[in-house]
Amino acid sequence: LFLARLMHRSVLTAQEQSAILALPTRAHIYAPREDIVSMAQTTKHSCLVGEGLAARFAETASGNRQSIALHIPGDMADLHSVVSPKVVTPLQAFSRCLIYEIPHPALRRIATEYPAIAYSFWRDGIIDAAIVAQSVLNLGQRKAPARIAHVLCEIATRIGAVRPKTFSFDFAISQPQLGEVVGLHAVHVNRTLRKLKTEGLAVLDGKKATVLDWPALIERAEFDPAYLQMEPLDFHKPLP
Amino acid sequence: LFLARLMHRSVLTAQEQSAILALPTRAHIYAPREDIVSMAQTTKHSCLVGEGLAARFAETASGNRQSIALHIPGDMADLHSVVSPKVVTPLQAFSRCLIYEIPHPALRRIATEYPAIAYSFWRDGIIDAAIVAQSVLNLGQRKAPARIAHVLCEIATRIGAVRPKTFSFDFAISQPQLGEVVGLHAVHVNRTLRKLKTEGLAVLDGKKATVLDWPALIERAEFDPAYLQMEPLDFHKPLP
DNA sequence: CGGACTATTGATTTGCGTCAAAGATTGTGG
DNA sequence: CCACAATCTTTGACGCAAATCAATAGTCCG
């Protein structure tokens, strides 16, 4: 699973691939709303999402929560903890989650041994950061309907569920949780979802999302998938 | 300059330090509002900010701009381009900027040769990403006064200008530009700055910021510098 | 079956956007 | 070195998007 994600983003040789497949893992199940990684601790492993929906969080002193990043199956939610083990954004399960823990020493070992793996880890973090950067744009400049539409477009694209016009995909998120993602209150999320439905764009039922008109939805969201950087980069070729 | 920034975040040996100091650089001056790195191109070098204030940007299809990250002298504004050369967020000069360009092949060479340098580059990008993550929280959950106060606190801390109560630091930013940073319109930025001034917290004159009451300002901003991760990490020690 | 969380809807308030217009600054070219 | 253009700062009036308060069903889980 992790290998597939990495190879979406970087080119790896057979030897490097088997080094990754040989990584030790420990499976864990988390209930909805349960913390996977808590604040203020120092981690010794990274978390690969196997099933479910997880999110990285931040909160203000007054207790308002904000989701920083959503993580779908295949995401290495905190690969960054290898080089930044002090937790500054906790990780929580949105729905029931299957998590594979991979110890830092093993990750450090293969990154030191194979430079291309080190680069692929680095690149993975950079692309995740580019996704977070887009949500700065989303929160800073878009109004509620476009904001929610953009999240739907991004998840649909990352999951690989996109079809020409109509399709569904797993998106187990409640309206209050979606509010934490888009920086809106639950009540307003509800009204905005109604609007998207009556406009014939998309529907969300708490378990899955249904896109009714993909071209219209991406237009409403002003969605351009370039920032997801879907083409793998090859670190074996020397640069000019 | 770059070395100092890296060593704020990671521990490097004398040999690694001299490898970084030996990197070739090319200096360049950019005028305010000039693009340093433009959209849709593929870069062959990274940009170290020598003097001035630079910002990474994103914009919506309708042309609204949003600053993703502010870069102060000493920042390697796009070290990430080494592993992600396709530009998805252009870099622009806010004030007159002195930029040192460092070619990617040279950076790749020392990262491949010295694993600790590769880790320090990776960590640098992760910490920059943590700063962006905080601005997601800032935009999503805070109102105008706290939002602007938080930006002031962050820059003061990153520059290292903090004093017990009152102090000034270079912050050459106009009100419309600050609006792009905090996701507010210039008119509202103006009113909010007035409010911060009458509350005796801080003043901004377009060239520099003056903090009038640091403890009160960090309280207003709910600022906690933990996410800046000011303690260097040592990648030479093996993990247990 | 009970408790907690979620979805939905209405009424009201408020923060921020928007429009407009007058000075103040800054930079540039003649 | 001055004059003009462009940008920035500041202020007022008004409108809208979203927060907030409140209350009722509905739904899931144990």
Side-chain angles (χ1 to χ4, degrees), chain A residues 22-233:
Chain A
L23 285 168
T25 65
R26 222 162 56 100
H28 241 279
I29 299 274
Y30 293 90
R33 307 190 124 257
E34 192 177 356
D35 272 12
I36 300 170
V37 178
S38 300
M39 194 67 179
Q41 65 184 34
T42 302
T43 50
K44 295 188 159 21
H45 54 79
S46 290
C47 297
L48 170 63
V49 180
E51 296 167 14
L53 185 67
R56 283 196 296 132
F57 270 98
E59 53 186 340
T60 62
S62 40
N64 289 337
R65 301 171 67 105
Q66 173 69 46
S67 283
I68 304 299
L70 287 176
H71 288 291
I72 60 175
D75 280 3
M76 194 70 157
D78 62 348
L79 185 55
H80 56 84
S81 64
V82 173
V83 291
S84 175
K86 192 158 287 177
V87 177
V88 295
T89 51
L91 183 65
Q92 198 185 55
F94 263 4
S95 64
R96 177 172 215 78
C97 277
L98 168 63
I99 301 289
Y100 298 103
E101 298 177 351
I102 306 179
H104 286 164
L107 291 165
R108 286 269 284 269
R109 208 171 301 123
I110 63 169
T112 303
E113 185 170 355
Y114 301 96
I117 289 183
Y119 284 122
S120 75
F121 287 177
W122 182 8
R123 176 168 164 88
D124 192 77
I126 293 304
I127 295 179
D128 281 351
I131 294 172
V132 175
Q134 281 296 315
S135 55
V136 171
L137 175 64
N138 205 27
L139 294 178
Q141 300 297 335
R142 286 196 261 261
K143 304 194 236 189
R147 232 185 260 187
I148 290 180
H150 197 275
V151 169
L152 293 175
C153 288
E154 179 183 304
I155 299 298
T157 305
R158 282 168 57 189
I159 285 187
V162 174
R163 301 290 174 272
K165 174 132 177 163
T166 304
F167 57 91
S168 291
F169 57 93
D170 286 342
F171 195 35
I173 192 170
S174 71
Q175 291 178 8
Q177 287 170 334
L178 184 56
E180 292 178 354
V181 173
V182 295
L184 297 170
H185 278 225
V187 174
H188 202 59
V189 168
N190 184 284
R191 293 194 236 264
T192 307
L193 283 174
R194 162 163 319 282
K195 194 171 192 180
L196 292 178
K197 186 199 285 187
T198 58
E199 288 179 9
L201 298 178
V203 189
L204 199 63
D205 69 4
K207 280 293 174 194
K208 63 180 203 316
T210 303
V211 174
L212 303 172
D213 185 343
W214 178 246
L217 188 67
I218 62 177
E219 166 147 12
R220 194 77 161 86
E222 303 187 324
F223 178 71
D224 173 359
Y227 70 94
L228 294 173
Q229 303 177 63
M230 312 287 274
E231 325 75 32
L233 194 65

Side-chain angles (χ1 to χ4, degrees), chain B residues 38-115:
Chain B
S38 300
M39 194 68 180
Q41 66 184 32
T42 301
T43 50
K44 296 187 157 23
H45 53 78
S46 290
C47 297
L48 170 63
V49 179
E51 298 168 12
L53 185 65
R56 282 197 295 133
F57 270 99
E59 52 186 341
T60 61
S62 39
N64 289 337
R65 299 171 68 104
Q66 173 68 45
S67 282
I68 304 298
L70 287 176
H71 289 291
I72 60 177
D75 280 2
M76 194 69 157
D78 63 349
L79 185 54
H80 57 84
S81 64
V82 173
V83 291
S84 174
K86 193 160 287 177
V87 177
V88 295
T89 51
L91 183 65
Q92 198 185 56
F94 263 4
S95 63
R96 176 171 216 78
C97 278
L98 168 62
I99 301 289
Y100 299 102
E101 299 177 351
I102 307 178
H104 286 165
L107 291 165
R108 286 269 283 268
R109 209 171 300 124
I110 64 169
T112 303
E113 184 170 357
Y114 302 96

Side-chain angles (χ1 to χ4, degrees), chain B residues 2-189:
Chain B
F2 177 35
L3 180 59
R5 167 52 38 90
L6 278 180
M7 294 192 63
H8 272 303
R9 295 177 169 176
S10 307
V11 173
L12 298 173
T13 65
Q15 194 181 21
E16 288 155 1
Q17 292 177 35
S18 53
I20 287 169
L21 290 173
L23 285 168
T25 64
R26 224 162 54 99
H28 241 277
I29 300 275
Y30 293 91
R33 307 191 125 258
E34 191 177 354
D35 273 11
I36 300 169
V37 179
S38 300
M39 194 68 180
Q41 66 184 32
T42 301
T43 50
K44 296 187 157 23
H45 53 78
S46 290
C47 297
L48 170 63
V49 179
E51 298 168 12
L53 185 65
R56 282 197 295 133
F57 270 99
E59 52 186 341
T60 61
S62 39
N64 289 337
R65 299 171 68 104
Q66 173 68 45
S67 282
I68 304 298
L70 287 176
H71 289 291
I72 60 177
D75 280 2
M76 194 69 157
D78 63 349
L79 185 54
H80 57 84
S81 64
V82 173
V83 291
S84 174
K86 193 160 287 177
V87 177
V88 295
T89 51
L91 183 65
Q92 198 185 56
F94 263 4
S95 63
R96 176 171 216 78
C97 278
L98 168 62
I99 301 289
Y100 299 102
E101 299 177 351
I102 307 178
H104 286 165
L107 291 165
R108 286 269 283 268
R109 209 171 300 124
I110 64 169
T112 303
E113 184 170 357
Y114 302 96
I117 289 182
Y119 285 121
S120 75
F121 286 177
W122 182 7
R123 177 168 164 87
D124 191 77
I126 293 303
I127 295 179
D128 282 351
I131 294 172
V132 175
Q134 280 296 314
S135 54
V136 171
L137 175 64
N138 206 27
L139 294 179
Q141 300 298 334
R142 285 196 261 262
K143 302 193 235 186
R147 229 185 263 187
I148 290 180
H150 197 276
V151 169
L152 293 175
C153 288
E154 178 183 306
I155 299 296
T157 305
R158 283 167 58 189
I159 286 187
V162 174
R163 300 291 174 272
K165 175 133 177 160
T166 303
F167 57 91
S168 291
F169 56 92
D170 286 342
F171 195 33
I173 193 170
S174 71
Q175 291 179 7
Q177 287 170 334
L178 183 56
E180 293 178 355
V181 173
V182 294
L184 297 169
H185 278 223
V187 174
H188 202 60
V189 168

